[in-house]
Amino acid sequence: MRRTEKMSLSITGTGISDSNVTNITDLGFWVMIADKEYFIPFSHYPAFRHATINQIVSVTFLSSSQLSWKDLDIDIELEALEKPESFPLIYQG
C-alpha cells in the first residue's frame, strides 16, 4: 500500500518581491516595504522621471537592503532612502 501525504498550504516561503508602489505624483513615488514606506523623489532619481507607470510599479525587493527595477536597470539601496545625506551624489544620466 502506498502512503500519500498532503502538502500543507500554511507553509510559506520567503518571497523576494515584498514591495509595492503605493502612490505616484509629479514629485516622485512611494514604495511600501513590509510596514515601512519610502519616498523616491524624481529630483534625486531623475531616471524615473520619464518612466511609465508600469515600469515604476515593477519593483522587486531583491534582498533585505535593495530595490530593483529590472526594466529600467535601476537599483537603490534602502540605506540611500533612509539616510540620503550619506549619499550626496545624484545620477546625471
Side-chain angles (χ1 to χ4, degrees):
M1 211 183 234
R2 187 172 179 203
R3 181 177 174 212
T4 57
E5 295 181 23
K6 291 185 179 179
M7 186 172 154
S8 173
L9 295 178
S10 64
I11 299 172
T12 58
T14 302
I16 61 168
S17 187
D18 294 335
S19 60
N20 61 46
V21 174
T22 58
N23 194 13
I24 301 173
T25 70
D26 58 340
L27 298 177
F29 60 98
W30 287 262
V31 177
M32 180 71 78
I33 301 168
D35 61 349
K36 189 166 182 180
E37 198 167 36
Y38 297 89
F39 181 65
I40 300 175
F42 294 137
S43 61
H44 291 148
Y45 299 92
F48 289 108
R49 190 177 306 276
H50 299 291
T52 66
I53 291 173
N54 283 338
Q55 289 173 317
I56 291 174
V57 300
S58 294
V59 59
T60 303
F61 192 39
L62 289 181
S63 65
S64 61
S65 65
Q66 188 177 34
L67 296 170
S68 178
W69 289 263
K70 183 180 175 185
D71 293 343
L72 296 170
D73 194 26
I74 298 172
D75 296 327
I76 299 176
E77 295 289 329
L78 291 184
E79 187 177 1
L81 299 175
E82 292 171 346
K83 300 176 188 172
E85 66 281 358
S86 299
F87 299 85
L89 297 178
I90 297 174
Y91 174 73
Q92 301 293 326

